[in-house]
Amino acid sequence: MSEKKEPLFSKKNRKLLKDPLNDNNPVTTQVLGICSALAITVQLKPAIVMALSVLVVLSVANVVVSLMRNLIPSRIRIIVQLVVIATLVILVDQVLKAFVYDVSKELSVFVGLIITNCIIMGRLEAFALGNKPWKSFLDGLGNAFGYGWILIAVAFFRELLGAGTLFGYPVLEKLGLYEMGYENNGMMILPPMALVTVGIIIWIQRMKNRDLIES
């Protein structure tokens, strides 16, 4: 009797997408990918571009490594994974240069550093090497979305409170807050405030779900 085929979006597969958004978030729970959260969250636009870049690299790399998982000798698996990631990062970088050149110049160093993003290497090692392509794709999407929403949330508050703008649009000026005495908080532009903002998100997350509090 043939084994019953699992639905594409079964409960287990949906869990792969949902868990990294909150309870198993790669940034706030696993504390991975913090460097880019500090570096590129001064403005919303580069944060969104970085989140989309990681989404493409992580989901496609997970699928590629999953397809090759039975062919990769264990001794050279790290090298193979790095080659896959580096190839995808170069492709993403070239696409950014072609379509959003100004952002690509701003992110050039950080896009290259996606190769060393511990979230990507971690998912390839922990998941893609042991699972089928569809599950690996969902795992990549889930973790990339989990990473991305943290980046975008941090960038939202840093740009709004630090510069009074969103996507460069003077939101606070249009709301008339400057006339009421508000002044931009220059500290929000500094890298340490990204860490503080991530810390506040972690604190709120653990207040809502106390199971995440370490003993």
Side-chain angles (χ1 to χ4, degrees):
M1 184 176 178
S2 61
E3 186 179 348
K4 187 177 180 181
K5 190 175 181 180
E6 182 180 10
L8 289 179
F9 292 99
S10 64
K11 187 176 180 180
K12 285 184 179 178
N13 289 346
R14 292 199 305 273
K15 192 176 173 66
L16 294 174
L17 281 173
K18 290 192 300 184
D19 276 3
L21 298 179
N22 188 13
D23 292 349
N24 197 23
N25 188 280
V27 179
T28 60
T29 305
Q30 301 173 32
V31 197
L32 300 174
I34 294 292
C35 299
S36 53
L38 303 181
I40 51 89
T41 53
V42 175
Q43 293 181 319
L44 263 175
K45 188 174 180 180
I48 291 174
V49 172
M50 175 59 86
L52 291 174
S53 300
V54 170
L55 175 70
V56 172
V57 173
L58 180 52
S59 55
V60 176
N62 254 14
V63 172
V64 172
V65 170
S66 176
L67 288 170
M68 299 192 303
R69 67 188 186 283
N70 295 325
L71 304 174
I72 304 174
S74 176
R75 289 178 298 176
I76 63 168
R77 70 185 192 283
I78 299 295
I79 297 173
V80 173
Q81 291 168 20
L82 284 173
V83 169
V84 171
I85 297 170
T87 303
L88 293 169
V89 169
I90 290 170
L91 290 174
V92 167
D93 190 41
Q94 294 302 307
V95 171
L96 292 179
K97 285 178 178 174
F99 295 102
V100 282
Y101 184 68
D102 57 332
V103 177
S104 76
K105 285 199 299 182
E106 190 176 345
L107 289 178
S108 58
V109 175
F110 303 109
V111 170
L113 288 176
I114 291 175
I115 296 171
T116 62
N117 189 316
C118 38
I119 296 174
I120 298 176
M121 283 297 295
R123 297 323 300 168
L124 296 183
E125 273 286 293
F127 198 89
L129 279 175
N131 288 279
K132 293 181 178 179
W134 175 246
K135 286 181 179 291
S136 299
F137 177 66
L138 295 179
D139 178 78
L141 280 184
N143 279 277
F145 279 128
Y147 166 82
W149 87 258
I150 296 294
L151 243 65
I152 292 169
V154 173
F156 175 86
F157 288 110
R158 291 187 71 193
E159 183 177 353
L160 182 64
L161 301 178
T165 63
L166 288 176
F167 294 106
Y169 183 78
V171 176
L172 298 188
E173 180 184 346
K174 297 296 182 184
L175 291 175
L177 293 185
Y178 293 138
E179 296 174 0
M180 297 169 63
Y182 178 82
E183 292 187 9
N184 291 335
N185 185 344
M187 285 188 64
M188 292 300 291
I189 306 297
L190 302 176
M193 289 310 294
L195 199 58
V196 171
T197 309
V198 172
I200 292 173
I201 294 173
I202 292 173
W203 175 66
I204 294 172
Q205 188 183 37
R206 280 159 174 67
M207 285 290 289
K208 294 175 65 177
N209 185 359
R210 293 188 172 273
D211 290 338
L212 297 177
I213 298 176
E214 296 84 358
S215 58

